[in-house]
Amino acid sequence: MLTPSDKALVPFVSVDNMMRLVHHTGLEAMITRIANTIEADFLRWDAFDKTPRVASHSDVGVIELMPTSDGDMYGFKYVNGHPKNTAEGLQTVTAFGLLADVQSGYPVLLSEMTLLTALRTAAMSALAAKHLAPEGATTMAMVGNGAQSEFQCRAFKAICGIDTVRLYDIDPAATAKCARNLADSGLTVIPCTTGQEAIEGAQIITTCTADKQYATILTDNMVGSGVHINAIGGDCPGKTELHKDILHRSDIFVEFPPQTRVEGEIQALPDDHPVTELHDVFAGRTAGRTSDKQITLFDSVGFAIEDFSALRTVLDLIKGTDMYDDLDMLADPDDPRDLYGMLQRSA
């Protein structure tokens, strides 16, 4: 048996090691660190290759690849979305991702991204709200209390300073789960029995539901002036959460318009409906919130640069730790031209 060389080994962060890394760093600290990296990468927007994710749709879900590169590093994420999975005891979303060195093409990190996607989605939501939510906002309505909900609540606490969350889900067991998990988070947690009750007194409204269909989680009469809406659930063609009239009353902010117009809430609007790209807000080229009466809407679908940023954060955090495994992933013959000979010698 041939012993793998250092060139053959790629750091691999398993689910177990990702959980260790989160606990070692601190959940809110890690979300904040990912948000800071996303913001830094959005500030060098022009350095990145940008393309909508490559999606394979079926009747029951979607499987997607999300690639990007900044010229030095290449990254991609594999991710699925299957709403039916929950009833079968499976995750709705699973993911893994990779970073590679552009100069050699060699991978430098392979990581689970089911947990990491939850962290980066929450980080991106709170980062957008930092620029768009009403100043001094303290209360968020969390409509949809599935796997993402607790991460969203903790991110808004860490980055935006909210202290109260009002929870609602059509499944009371999901709300009970979320409330139980947030019991020691430092947040005041208020379970609600309707969506209308949940948004009462909330300056921020987050919607995060899983059903793959055109839906109306928020109707126009539920949304008053001056709020920030963080719409996460509309993330593929044919899936939305907001009544179209809300969109017409809102200033809409997006990650990457060519992707959002196909997958986000704005798929319900004409292709020329005006939207603002968040990288321009982060850089100060465009205003975010401009008045107390304004409704701001982050039409969140997730973009490859955010996953690239999350993987960069993990690669930095694991340095000098034992929170990864060396995966024998790359063939490394003594003579790069003699791959067959390496196979022979391994017999």
Side-chain angles (χ1 to χ4, degrees):
M1 180 177 177
L2 299 179
T3 302
S5 72
D6 289 344
K7 293 178 183 177
L9 301 177
V10 176
F12 168 59
V13 180
S14 64
V15 173
D16 182 62
N17 275 324
M18 184 63 74
M19 292 191 292
R20 291 178 62 209
L21 188 62
V22 172
H23 289 305
H24 174 76
T25 308
L27 175 63
E28 292 183 10
M30 187 159 179
I31 289 172
T32 300
R33 187 154 177 171
I34 292 170
N36 291 341
T37 308
I38 292 172
E39 187 164 28
D41 283 343
F42 270 51
L43 288 174
R44 55 192 190 100
W45 186 258
D46 290 341
F48 284 90
D49 293 337
K50 294 174 284 290
T51 182
R53 53 188 157 212
V54 181
S56 176
H57 294 278
S58 69
D59 291 340
V60 294
V62 63
I63 295 173
E64 300 168 328
L65 291 177
M66 301 173 66
T68 191
S69 172
D70 67 353
D72 294 319
M73 299 274 277
Y74 169 89
F76 79 84
K77 183 173 79 172
Y78 166 100
V79 61
N80 77 291
H82 285 68
K84 71 173 183 62
N85 280 5
T86 302
E88 300 171 7
L90 302 173
Q91 289 284 297
T92 299
V93 174
T94 67
F96 65 87
L98 179 143
L99 285 179
D101 174 29
V102 167
Q103 292 302 310
S104 67
Y106 270 46
V108 297
L109 177 69
L110 178 66
S111 179
E112 84 79 37
M113 288 196 74
T114 307
L115 276 164
L116 189 57
T117 293
L119 294 166
R120 81 92 166 117
T121 303
M124 186 64 198
S125 292
L127 174 61
K130 184 178 77 170
H131 292 269
L132 301 176
E135 186 176 355
T138 60
T139 302
M140 180 171 77
M142 184 72 232
V143 181
N145 301 155
Q148 177 65 215
S149 57
E150 297 92 342
F151 295 95
Q152 291 284 322
C153 294
R154 294 291 296 272
F156 275 81
K157 172 178 175 284
I159 295 172
C160 302
I162 69 163
D163 57 30
T164 301
V165 291
R166 301 176 64 85
L167 309 178
Y168 171 69
D169 194 287
I170 58 172
D171 179 4
T175 300
K177 177 270 305 180
C178 185
R180 183 171 62 250
N181 286 342
L182 293 174
D184 297 321
S185 65
L187 289 163
T188 298
V189 179
I190 304 172
C192 301
T193 56
T194 66
Q196 182 69 56
E197 180 188 355
I199 68 173
E200 290 175 3
Q203 299 93 17
I204 300 168
I205 303 170
T206 291
T207 58
C208 187
T209 59
D211 287 344
K212 188 181 177 184
Q213 62 179 339
Y214 291 114
T216 307
I217 306 304
L218 295 184
T219 56
D220 187 39
N221 65 302
M222 295 171 70
V223 179
S225 64
V227 301
H228 172 63
I229 303 171
N230 176 41
I232 301 172
D235 58 0
C236 68
K239 182 178 180 220
T240 59
E241 296 180 314
L242 310 183
H243 192 282
K244 187 164 65 173
D245 288 350
I246 297 173
L247 307 182
H248 287 294
R249 296 169 53 212
S250 303
D251 290 315
I252 302 171
F253 299 81
V254 303
E255 294 138 315
F256 184 57
Q259 181 172 300
T260 310
R261 291 193 189 278
V262 174
E263 301 179 354
E265 296 296 329
I266 59 173
Q267 66 185 278
L269 299 177
D271 287 344
D272 60 354
H273 189 91
V275 298
T276 300
E277 297 184 45
L278 277 172
H279 67 92
D280 284 326
V281 177
F282 295 170
R285 292 185 291 267
T286 306
R289 175 166 290 275
T290 57
S291 77
D292 293 339
K293 301 295 184 183
Q294 180 185 19
I295 299 172
T296 52
L297 167 61
F298 174 34
D299 190 358
S300 169
V301 297
F303 188 53
I305 293 174
E306 296 153 30
D307 299 303
F308 180 95
S309 303
L311 288 166
R312 280 213 305 128
T313 304
V314 169
L315 183 61
D316 189 50
L317 285 171
I318 64 172
K319 291 176 181 176
T321 77
D322 64 351
M323 297 180 196
Y324 65 92
D325 299 300
D326 283 323
L327 188 65
D328 182 10
M329 187 173 169
L330 305 174
D332 185 38
D334 295 335
D335 180 349
R337 298 166 297 180
D338 193 18
L339 187 63
Y340 183 86
M342 186 186 80
L343 176 62
Q344 282 187 311
R345 291 190 298 276
S346 69

